[in-house]
Amino acid sequence: MKFSTKLFKLTTFILLLSPAAFSQNIINGIVKDSKGAPVPSASVIIRGTTTGVTADENGKFSLKPSIEPPFYIRISSVGFKAQDFQVLNIQNAPTEFELVNDDQLTEIVVVSRRRRELLQDVPVSVSVIGGTQIDKTGSFNVNRVKELVPTLQLYTSNPRNTGINIRGIGSPFGLTNDGLDPGVGFYVDGVYYARPAAATLDFIDVDNIEVLRGPQGTLFGKNTAAGAINITTRKASFTPGVSFETSFGNLGYVQAKASVTGPIADKLALRLSFSGTQRDGAIYNIAKQEPVNNLNNLGGRFQLLYQPTANTQITLNGDASDQKPNGYVQVYAGVAPTYRAAYRQFNNIIADLGYQLPSTNPFDRVIDQNTPAKSGNQLGGLSLNIDTKIGSGTLTSTTAWRYWDWDPSTDRDFTGLNVLAKSQNPSKHHQTSEEMRYSGDLSKNLTGVFGLFYLDQQVTTTGREEAGSDQWRFAQNTTNTALWQTPGLFEGYGISTNASIKAQTAAAFANVDWKIGDAFHINPGVRFNYDKKDVVYDRQANGGITLTDPTLLGFRKALYSSQYYTTNFNERNFTYNITASYRPNKAVNVYGTYSTSYKPSGVNVAGLPTINGAPALDLAVIKPEKTQHIEFGAKTNPTPNITLNVTFHNSDISDYQTNVQSPDPGVNRGYLATAEKVNVKGVEFDANIQAGKNWSFYASGAYNDAKYVKFTNAPLPLEETGISSTVFFKDISGTQLPGVSKWTTSVGGEFATDAKFISENSKFFIGVDDYLRSRFSSSPTPSAYLNIAGYTLVNARLGFRATHGFSAYLWGRNIFNQNYFEQLLPASGNAGQYAGVLGDQRTVGITLRYNL
């Protein structure tokens, strides 16, 4: 209630703070169509005000603004799309404004190459999702956006264990290891987010999302091997504006969003945004009589915009998000028979303990886990961005500081047994970054981007894991049961971990666009990179009752042992790319790219597997990853209302960095390994069709073939546990990479028609989206038991919307209630048990929105 009162007062305050003195200049304009013909009687209004005029029969108008530039004017006319045009200054000469026909596609503007360009002009594989599409499809975080971009995959068993992949590469599939650099860059308003936990945050005031595919490093601050996600939020404006939105759905789903913007002083504008999401749990814990895996998210951001001159713009951004769900938990999914003796198989173990699973069907969504489930996830930061026009280009400085606090508790045995009584490994992360970049025209036929980047970050983990009273039966590896049942043998015994990584990255990069003739472009790019890491890993086995018997001490050591190591390194590398493109006309743009990429060495900071009772220290540091990438693409517009883009890509990766989840209890979050060679190749397409005024369709798809060309020391699959007392690794050369479907598609359509009976600018709409992916492996080493079947998700929406004013629509996600897994994870203990991360069941609801 207090927050609502404050928000109302702040909204009123901002709306009333428009400048008292306004320009007396007149905007003179001519409204035309795409063929240059005048559009008579077009409606022209200054957004956020009631000031407007109607163009005459020749499309001409004169408008006296009631506010000072910059501001937006909205021009609309029957048979054309309503469009916003930004007015930065008022000129004496008439300005031409071109409208797009209602039955044609609107051209999309991107900033992928650090300058504003039309999407079809850019010789880069990039998908763009606008803020309107994000809102109407209910995609409130990246995990939902992946259903709109088939080549984008996000896997998360909790916010910390989040990996983002593009084309099947980027982050190792499974649990996260802080010792690896992400292969997919995540940027918000030009700021690089170093930790993948950021991808689970609710979107707040998103304007658009660009998903770039393929190695990036000559355009963006951080070198990334697989691509980048570039999120742009809505900006503060000198034109007052207010937006409120609420959504209600089943499972107790409630979401509220609000934003307000406007001037607060001469040359100073503010934007404030808020988001809150709550939902009851999608899984029920019968032991605690409560739903789990709920949503409990709060977030806010602000932006101050200062424009001291027409050539300089300064923005100060701040954001903070707090997630405190009762989750994330995984459900029992099945058992793989292993090569262990019969008494060491999961079903026999739980029978001896007198335990019965609450359900053997994971889609009953029932658990009885007894360890508290907690996933406290807090992050935020500040950034200062300065854009100054110098000559024919713009000099940009982006300075940022960010934090991330992770406070978890999980039940890693996935049962109601007291096997692992505690599994808590909280982490804290802080980063500072600076990017200086100049982008602009160097000559008539030469443009370029030149930049410097620096990132300093530190991650510290202070954790505790403890065994429980039932651990003896899972750890038992001899038939002397009485000895294993020694009272208090394992209870309270565990490991205390203190680990830290300090990392610095510095880089210089450049990319130029050389136009040769009227249609041919050459785009070379280079990057010089420096990486440094200092690592300390200290894990001490302790706790429990005091023991002196060497046999019992041996039992304990086999479960948990102390490990300690320190290491540091620094590396320098040079990567480059070159792109050639040919655009003979507006309908065709073909291009080819060759590029190289580099990921610095990885460091294990989550425990190492033990071999013959000793930690495998040769896995403490793994080699850097190197990529050679080729790509050919064609962006076409067969007609003004159709786009069709096709891409072929091939990546050869040496020393591919992968994260392995080990069933060894002493390995907290998996360990890093290196595959000698990996190949990823495929074909992608995306198409958009505007069929008349009312119908629009999109379709995108990807065929992806991702293989280990050579991986001779992969871990054993779950079902081969115990196959030999001397064999711990397996040659899996020629097998598929985890998490990669051969086929992924996203298709959808919408019918929209004027709804003037509601309001002048309203449209009634009905839309359907379908997301399909084929079978994929959920284990770094292919396992017959850890494959996830293909599935299809269908979402739909129905209602009316208005650019300004009131909108309302009903929505449904997974409307056919498809049961599916997002991940399958082996449990600790080598007993063959594995758990699943469930996809959400059917959800339905209503959204109400008001935009001023």
Side-chain angles (χ1 to χ4, degrees):
M1 188 68 182
K2 290 182 178 180
F3 176 83
S4 301
T5 303
K6 290 180 179 178
L7 181 61
F8 176 77
K9 290 180 178 179
L10 181 61
T11 302
T12 306
F13 174 70
I14 291 176
L15 290 173
L16 295 176
L17 275 179
S18 299
F22 304 121
S23 169
Q24 299 302 312
N25 292 328
I26 303 296
I27 301 174
N28 295 301
I30 305 173
V31 184
K32 295 184 176 182
D33 63 17
S34 57
K35 296 180 180 179
V39 178
S41 304
S43 174
V44 184
I45 189 170
I46 298 177
R47 273 187 49 182
T49 73
T50 58
T51 303
V53 296
T54 300
D56 64 18
E57 66 275 8
N58 297 313
K60 296 181 179 180
F61 70 88
S62 295
L63 179 64
K64 182 178 179 180
S66 55
I67 57 177
E68 294 181 338
F71 53 80
Y72 285 90
I73 61 173
R74 168 159 288 248
I75 303 178
S76 59
S77 183
V78 177
F80 296 89
K81 295 181 183 294
Q83 291 176 249
D84 290 335
F85 299 89
Q86 187 176 26
V87 177
L88 297 175
N89 50 65
I90 298 175
Q91 304 174 3
N92 293 326
T95 302
E96 291 188 358
F97 299 91
E98 182 180 314
L99 295 182
V100 176
N101 289 71
D102 230 1
D103 60 351
Q104 294 182 10
L105 291 171
T106 303
E107 293 182 313
I108 300 173
V109 176
V110 297
V111 292
S112 306
R113 299 199 297 174
R114 299 308 200 186
R115 51 189 182 271
R116 294 178 62 84
E117 301 173 285
L118 295 178
L119 175 63
Q120 293 298 92
D121 289 342
V122 180
V124 176
S125 294
V126 56
S127 299
V128 179
I129 306 163
T132 300
Q133 187 177 11
I134 292 168
D135 291 338
K136 70 186 183 183
T137 57
S139 303
F140 62 83
N141 60 28
V142 176
N143 200 28
R144 295 286 179 85
V145 167
K146 72 182 183 184
E147 297 172 14
L148 303 175
V149 184
T151 52
L152 172 66
Q153 293 296 333
L154 182 143
Y155 303 98
T156 178
S157 55
N158 59 46
R160 187 203 185 285
N161 290 317
T162 298
I164 307 174
N165 283 353
I166 293 177
R167 294 171 172 169
I169 53 178
S171 296
F173 184 82
L175 301 183
T176 300
N177 195 307
D178 293 328
L180 279 187
D181 285 27
V184 175
F186 191 86
Y187 296 84
V188 179
D189 291 334
V191 177
Y192 174 70
Y193 287 27
R195 304 316 309 163
T200 63
L201 295 180
D202 289 358
F203 291 148
I204 302 176
D205 248 359
V206 170
D207 189 45
N208 67 62
I209 300 174
E210 299 173 14
V211 180
L212 290 87
R213 304 186 289 272
Q216 307 295 325
T218 64
L219 292 167
F220 284 82
K222 186 73 170 68
N223 189 44
T224 53
I229 298 173
N230 186 34
I231 297 177
T232 303
T233 64
R234 297 184 176 102
K235 304 303 181 188
S237 173
F238 289 92
T239 301
V242 179
S243 174
F244 298 99
E245 177 184 305
T246 57
S247 298
F248 306 91
N250 63 328
L251 297 178
Y253 176 79
V254 179
Q255 184 177 71
K257 294 182 179 181
S259 66
V260 57
T261 187
I264 57 174
D266 186 29
K267 301 180 180 180
L268 188 65
L270 172 68
R271 187 177 191 95
L272 295 175
S273 308
F274 164 83
S275 174
T277 305
Q278 289 189 339
R279 190 199 69 182
D280 295 338
I283 296 171
Y284 194 76
N285 188 330
I286 61 174
K288 297 187 176 183
Q289 297 291 300
E290 64 178 9
V292 292
N293 282 14
N294 65 344
L295 296 176
N296 185 10
N297 306 338
L298 287 174
R301 63 184 303 116
F302 75 86
Q303 183 185 93
L304 276 172
L305 169 63
Y306 176 53
Q307 290 187 307
T309 69
N311 293 327
T312 300
Q313 180 173 285
I314 302 172
T315 55
L316 175 66
N317 297 280
D319 68 279
S321 295
D322 186 10
Q323 297 178 321
K324 293 180 179 178
N326 183 6
Y328 296 52
V329 303
Q330 294 81 50
V331 301
Y332 167 90
V335 175
T338 72
Y339 282 90
R340 299 289 193 195
Y343 75 91
R344 301 190 66 187
Q345 305 292 322
F346 178 76
N347 289 330
N348 291 329
I349 292 173
I350 63 173
D352 289 349
L353 292 171
Y355 171 75
Q356 185 174 353
L357 291 162
S359 174
T360 56
N361 179 4
F363 297 106
D364 286 342
R365 300 179 183 270
V366 174
I367 63 170
D368 63 347
Q369 296 174 14
N370 55 347
T371 299
K374 183 172 63 172
S375 296
N377 191 46
Q378 297 176 318
L379 68 162
L382 295 168
S383 66
L384 180 67
N385 192 87
I386 303 173
D387 289 302
T388 303
K389 292 183 179 179
I390 299 177
S392 58
T394 301
L395 179 65
T396 299
S397 169
T398 303
T399 307
W401 168 82
R402 298 203 60 78
Y403 70 90
W404 167 57
D405 291 341
W406 169 241
D407 185 16
S409 174
T410 58
D411 194 327
R412 289 182 55 235
D413 59 68
F414 310 122
T415 70
L417 292 168
N418 193 21
V419 183
L420 290 174
K422 183 180 291 187
S423 181
Q424 300 171 356
N425 288 282
S427 297
K428 292 184 180 294
H429 172 263
H430 293 84
Q431 69 172 73
T432 56
S433 62
E434 171 65 36
E435 182 171 346
M436 294 283 293
R437 183 179 66 254
Y438 180 81
S439 173
D441 297 331
L442 306 177
S443 67
K444 180 180 178 181
N445 295 320
L446 194 66
T447 61
V449 177
F450 306 88
L452 299 172
F453 176 75
Y454 177 75
L455 172 68
D456 181 276
Q457 58 176 316
Q458 180 174 0
V459 185
T460 58
T461 299
T462 305
R464 178 67 180 171
E465 183 170 310
E466 285 183 5
S469 57
D470 295 319
Q471 178 65 255
W472 70 269
R473 188 59 184 84
F474 283 81
Q476 182 181 358
N477 60 14
T478 70
T479 57
N480 189 345
T481 302
L483 198 59
W484 285 95
Q485 286 182 301
T486 301
L489 173 60
F490 291 112
E491 195 167 0
Y493 176 71
I495 47 176
S496 298
T497 301
N498 287 280
S500 70
I501 302 177
K502 295 180 181 179
Q504 292 85 38
T505 295
F509 57 89
N511 187 286
V512 297
D513 185 337
W514 179 26
K515 183 179 180 181
I516 303 173
D518 294 329
F520 192 68
H521 289 252
I522 295 290
N523 301 100
V526 295
R527 181 183 182 91
F528 297 90
N529 218 69
Y530 171 80
D531 290 284
K532 181 175 185 285
K533 289 183 181 179
D534 293 276
V535 178
V536 176
Y537 182 76
D538 183 6
R539 190 182 81 187
Q540 299 297 319
N542 52 41
I545 63 173
T546 301
L547 296 174
T548 57
D549 185 287
T551 302
L552 297 180
L553 289 171
F555 290 167
R556 275 189 173 181
K557 187 176 180 181
L559 179 66
Y560 290 129
S561 60
S562 299
Q563 292 185 11
Y564 176 84
Y565 73 88
T566 63
T567 188
N568 64 81
F569 61 83
N570 55 76
E571 299 170 340
R572 295 171 177 82
N573 65 84
F574 169 74
T575 56
Y576 61 92
N577 71 273
I578 184 166
T579 297
S581 62
Y582 178 64
R583 186 162 197 181
N585 52 57
K586 192 174 181 179
V588 178
N589 184 12
V590 294
Y591 63 93
T593 296
Y594 175 81
S595 60
T596 62
S597 186
Y598 180 94
K599 281 177 65 178
S601 295
V603 185
N604 271 299
V605 284
L608 297 171
T610 56
I611 299 176
N612 296 324
L617 293 177
D618 58 325
L619 293 173
V621 179
I622 63 171
K623 297 177 181 178
E625 179 181 294
K626 299 179 181 179
T627 301
Q628 293 182 324
H629 175 80
I630 60 171
E631 186 168 312
F632 299 98
K635 296 187 173 185
T636 68
N637 290 89
T639 70
N641 61 340
I642 297 176
T643 63
L644 176 61
N645 302 334
V646 181
T647 305
F648 167 80
H649 62 89
N650 183 89
S651 295
D652 290 306
I653 307 170
S654 300
D655 298 319
Y656 176 76
Q657 298 172 343
T658 182
N659 190 36
V660 177
Q661 185 174 354
S662 171
D664 181 346
V667 182
N668 294 338
R669 292 185 294 275
Y671 64 93
L672 302 181
T674 302
E676 293 95 320
K677 188 173 180 61
V678 161
N679 175 261
V680 178
K681 57 179 175 289
V683 178
E684 304 160 353
F685 78 91
D686 64 82
N688 289 274
I689 302 173
Q690 182 70 45
K693 290 179 56 177
N694 305 116
W695 294 93
S696 60
F697 303 93
Y698 73 89
S700 55
Y703 169 80
N704 214 14
D705 185 16
K707 290 183 177 179
Y708 295 112
V709 177
K710 186 179 182 182
F711 193 3
T712 57
N713 65 334
L716 295 173
L718 180 61
E719 62 267 31
E720 293 185 22
T721 300
I723 193 171
S724 168
S725 60
T726 59
V727 176
F728 301 96
F729 301 104
K730 183 177 182 178
D731 186 343
I732 61 170
S733 302
T735 61
Q736 293 291 315
L737 260 64
V740 185
S741 294
K742 281 287 185 81
W743 296 96
T744 315
T745 63
S746 180
V747 298
E750 184 176 282
F751 171 81
T753 186
D754 290 337
K756 293 185 178 180
F757 62 92
I758 298 174
S759 66
E760 188 66 26
N761 63 347
S762 290
K763 284 185 178 292
F764 168 82
F765 69 93
I766 181 171
V768 178
D769 305 292
D770 178 273
Y771 172 72
L772 176 149
R773 66 176 305 183
S774 62
R775 170 185 176 276
F776 63 96
S777 168
S778 187
S779 172
T781 296
S783 165
Y785 295 88
L786 299 179
N787 291 319
I788 294 179
Y791 57 86
T792 300
L793 303 178
V794 179
N795 308 322
R797 57 197 179 274
L798 167 69
F800 66 92
R801 60 173 174 262
T803 307
H804 300 288
F806 181 68
S807 302
Y809 60 93
L810 302 171
W811 48 264
R813 299 187 58 82
N814 189 10
I815 60 176
F816 295 114
N817 208 26
Q818 170 75 61
N819 287 326
Y820 67 101
F821 292 111
E822 293 195 345
Q823 282 182 268
L824 292 172
L825 308 168
S828 61
N830 296 304
Q833 170 205 9
Y834 56 94
V837 178
L838 297 182
D840 282 348
Q841 62 266 61
R842 177 171 50 230
T843 54
V844 295
I846 185 171
T847 294
L848 309 174
R849 180 183 300 126
Y850 180 80
N851 291 321
L852 178 63

